[in-house]
Amino acid sequence: MLIRRLPWTAISFAAPLPFCFGATNGLPIRKQLNSSLFSFFCSSSGVNLPLQPGHETDTRHSQSLKPGLYLVGTPIGNLEDITLRAIRVLNSADVILSEDTRHSGKLLHHYNIKTPLMSYHKFNESHREQLVLRRLKQGEIVALISDAGMPGISDPGTELAKLCVSENILVVPIPGPCALVSALSASGLPTDEFTFVGFLPKHSGSRRKRLMVSADQTTTQIFYVPPHKLSQFLDESSSIFGDARQCVIAREMTKLHEEFWHGTLGEAKEVFSIRQVKGELTILIEGKANSKVEPPSDTELESELRELIAGGESLSTAVKLVTSRTSVSRKTIYSLALRKFGKQLEVDDDSN
């Protein structure tokens, strides 16, 4: 997501290590600790990443990764939310495509990753695609990261992945944090079905049209909303969804001031009209209540038909009356009436 987040939190990845990592190969203890740190964490998780003699952290060419495009999930706020596999891939890549090289540079510096960065964002992705494609065809390992979360999810990367698939180039997801999944899991709203809308259109007419579609759906609706658009979003959504619809506003997820605000859209509109917020917001709105009436069972239809026929109504009139009271088709009811009462009516006709 193209977001400007708070400065990276200086969370230390290192922990006190035993002196068995001490001076080997003639290196001082401190230097040898640095060269062994990444290997220590990965080997403790079953990932074998031997370091090349004489190289402190450059493991890019010592890996068994296949050439291709690697979509790497990165933290959405807390630097500890990165996988060992993601670190290994970023170290192994020939180049890392980054939405904001200055922003991503802080993450790479934190984990002592030396792989070169190349800018790749929504304003230059169409120009970069062919350059990246040539490098991939030459057998390079290209990693793609966004400012936060999974690339391609309301972020640059979708078109490049599509291009690689069309060219039969390997595309590998490296799973990681994702704001929409994190917010949904802790929201308390139904998670069995949901609709991810992401960022709404800028044009007011298109935006309202999209909100009207969401308001009529029975699944949980998930939106990404910039902080400066919050008031606009709450004004429009409350008028379309209704003030009584429940919502959850997730902000600063995984950070120190993480918050999940619960209430109705009407309450949210009132509360956040005087409250300023920072950071991108993930807003979830409950689905429309399912007011659809369940169709009656065959047993219930049979009971209604029997009652009408016993009261002297003809078969066709009974079918017509039952059809007018339910959403079941006349053909279905007529078939049921013939199956259950056809012979009985034939007997009655013969006796007359």
Side-chain angles (χ1 to χ4, degrees):
M1 292 149 280
L2 191 58
I3 322 160
R4 295 297 172 266
R5 300 181 179 277
L6 293 177
W8 290 104
T9 307
I11 301 172
S12 176
F13 184 70
L17 302 178
F19 282 101
C20 62
F21 279 90
T24 60
N25 299 329
L27 294 176
I29 289 179
R30 178 182 296 276
K31 191 171 185 179
Q32 187 63 28
L33 280 173
N34 290 338
S35 67
S36 303
L37 179 59
F38 181 70
S39 180
F40 169 79
F41 277 97
C42 292
S43 61
S44 67
S45 297
V47 180
N48 185 20
L49 296 178
L51 290 169
Q52 296 180 6
H55 293 74
E56 289 188 43
T57 57
D58 187 1
T59 61
R60 285 180 287 161
H61 300 291
S62 64
Q63 310 306 316
S64 59
L65 294 180
K66 296 179 180 179
L69 176 66
Y70 290 75
L71 308 176
V72 183
T74 54
I76 60 175
N78 192 317
L79 280 182
E80 290 183 312
D81 295 334
I82 190 168
T83 67
L84 294 173
R85 186 184 179 202
I87 295 174
R88 177 168 68 90
V89 169
L90 293 177
N91 265 291
S92 303
D94 293 292
V95 65
I96 298 173
L97 306 181
S98 167
E99 191 174 356
D100 184 334
T101 55
R102 292 170 299 178
H103 183 87
S104 298
K106 298 174 183 178
L107 173 68
L108 301 190
H109 176 74
H110 187 82
Y111 288 105
N112 203 20
I113 297 170
K114 306 295 185 180
T115 308
L117 282 169
M118 177 190 294
S119 66
Y120 188 86
H121 46 73
K122 66 179 182 179
F123 300 109
N124 72 357
E125 61 180 331
S126 60
H127 298 95
R128 292 285 199 202
E129 281 180 354
Q130 293 305 315
L131 170 62
V132 174
L133 188 62
R134 285 198 298 271
R135 297 186 65 162
L136 286 165
K137 288 183 175 180
Q138 291 169 2
E140 291 194 8
I141 297 169
V142 176
L144 172 64
I145 61 176
S146 65
D147 282 353
M150 282 301 297
I153 308 300
S154 289
D155 273 342
T158 302
E159 294 304 316
L160 181 58
K162 186 188 300 183
L163 179 61
C164 288
V165 169
S166 69
E167 295 284 341
N168 292 317
I169 294 172
L170 180 68
V171 179
V172 182
I174 308 298
C178 182
L180 79 95
V181 175
S182 300
L184 179 64
S185 66
S187 68
L189 295 177
T191 61
D192 51 344
E193 289 187 81
F194 61 90
T195 300
F196 173 60
V197 181
F199 293 103
L200 289 168
K202 292 183 179 180
H203 186 267
S204 60
S206 300
R207 191 168 59 247
R208 291 184 66 85
K209 184 177 180 180
R210 185 62 188 83
L211 285 172
M212 290 176 70
V213 172
S214 287
D216 200 44
Q217 295 188 26
T218 59
T219 59
T220 300
Q221 304 292 296
I222 306 176
F223 303 87
Y224 285 161
V225 180
H228 63 281
K229 295 287 185 68
L230 178 58
S231 293
Q232 178 191 78
F233 176 85
L234 293 175
D235 285 342
E236 294 179 347
S237 60
S238 61
S239 68
I240 294 173
F241 284 78
D243 284 344
R245 193 79 71 94
Q246 291 292 318
C247 71
V248 177
I249 299 177
R251 54 178 294 273
E252 298 290 273
M253 283 189 294
T254 78
K255 298 180 182 179
L256 180 63
H257 301 293
E258 178 179 84
E259 178 188 13
F260 285 83
W261 186 93
H262 298 258
T264 66
L265 283 171
E267 292 168 341
K269 181 180 176 181
E270 181 178 350
V271 168
F272 290 96
S273 64
I274 56 175
R275 179 181 170 187
Q276 298 298 315
V277 295
K278 294 182 179 180
E280 181 193 304
L281 305 163
T282 302
I283 301 182
L284 306 92
I285 303 178
E286 71 171 341
K288 182 179 180 181
N290 191 349
S291 58
K292 183 179 178 181
V293 178
E294 290 295 324
S297 65
D298 284 357
T299 302
E300 292 172 322
L301 291 173
E302 181 184 341
S303 177
E304 285 191 54
L305 288 167
R306 178 178 288 108
E307 183 177 345
L308 289 168
I309 292 172
E313 300 291 352
S314 66
L315 181 65
S316 60
T317 301
V319 169
K320 183 178 180 180
L321 290 171
V322 172
T323 301
S324 67
R325 302 173 187 172
T326 179
S327 59
V328 181
S329 69
R330 181 183 183 281
K331 182 178 179 180
T332 300
I333 297 174
Y334 189 72
S335 176
L336 175 65
L338 286 178
R339 190 168 65 251
K340 296 294 183 179
F341 306 106
K343 290 184 179 181
Q344 175 185 331
L345 292 175
E346 288 175 7
V347 171
D348 292 343
D349 289 340
D350 291 340
S351 63
N352 292 331

